[in-house]
Amino acid sequence: TGKAKLVYRDFPLSSIHFSAQKAAEAAECADEQGKWLDYHNQLFSTQATWANRGEAAAVPMFKQFAADLGLNAEQFNTCLDSGTVQQEVQKDFQDGLSAGVSGTPTFFIGNDQDGYTQIVGAQPYSVFQSLLSSLAA
């Protein structure tokens, strides 16, 4: 309806998910080929298989996910291995910390003029609906 805009930012919690940083980088590498959402969905649907493994075990999985999604493997692998998107992911993380984010998911509902309300954690739709309805009034 054009009444809301969703902006997704990386917030890898590497202290509890050992491969979170590299997973976020992998999604950014997929984004370079226009497949961020598909890759993101693949990461979340397979999280139990890679989340508690170290990078050495997870990176080959991330590369296989890219291949499974039909991404250009050479381009993806070069991006992931080179660390070219590492700073972008870390900037998102630092921006989140500066905004008061401490976990995921975290949502900010509002606008620059009226300010934002922070919603933390997986919440039912009714929480968002109520807040969005109050903003539209």
Side-chain angles (χ1 to χ4, degrees), residues 6-35:
L6 176 65
V7 177
Y8 186 95
R9 302 286 300 270
D10 298 302
F11 199 76
L13 295 171
S14 298
S15 62
I16 59 172
H17 300 293
F18 305 124
S19 300
Q21 172 69 33
K22 210 61 170 174
E25 291 176 31
E28 293 295 339
C29 291
D31 188 42
E32 290 182 355
Q33 297 183 47
K35 293 284 189 173

Side-chain angles (χ1 to χ4, degrees), residues 109-123:
I109 309 291
N111 59 51
D112 290 340
Q113 180 181 355
D114 300 322
Y116 294 88
T117 298
Q118 186 181 54
I119 300 174
V120 179
Q123 300 292 324

Side-chain angles (χ1 to χ4, degrees), residues 10-12 14 20-29 32 55 78-94:
D10 298 302
F11 199 76
S14 298
Q21 172 69 33
K22 210 61 170 174
E25 291 176 31
E28 293 295 339
C29 291
E32 290 182 355
E55 274 187 25
T78 298
C79 174
L80 190 59
D81 293 340
S82 68
T84 57
V85 294
Q86 181 179 12
Q87 284 187 307
E88 178 182 341
V89 171
Q90 278 303 297
K91 182 183 181 316
D92 280 357
F93 183 77
Q94 291 302 319

Side-chain angles (χ1 to χ4, degrees), residues 15-113:
S15 62
I16 59 172
H17 300 293
F18 305 124
S19 300
Q21 172 69 33
K22 210 61 170 174
E25 291 176 31
E28 293 295 339
C29 291
D31 188 42
E32 290 182 355
Q33 297 183 47
K35 293 284 189 173
W36 180 87
L37 184 59
D38 293 334
Y39 198 90
H40 176 268
N41 290 340
Q42 178 72 12
L43 284 174
F44 274 86
S45 69
T46 60
Q47 190 171 1
T49 64
W50 60 262
N52 291 320
R53 296 178 184 226
E55 274 187 25
V59 166
M61 296 171 131
F62 298 155
K63 291 178 179 181
Q64 185 60 53
F65 297 159
D68 292 347
L69 290 171
L71 277 71
N72 176 304
E74 183 178 343
Q75 181 182 345
F76 180 88
N77 294 349
T78 298
C79 174
L80 190 59
D81 293 340
S82 68
T84 57
V85 294
Q86 181 179 12
Q87 284 187 307
E88 178 182 341
V89 171
Q90 278 303 297
K91 182 183 181 316
D92 280 357
F93 183 77
Q94 291 302 319
D95 289 348
L97 290 176
S98 295
V101 175
S102 61
T104 61
T106 298
F107 301 89
F108 293 91
I109 309 291
N111 59 51
D112 290 340
Q113 180 181 355

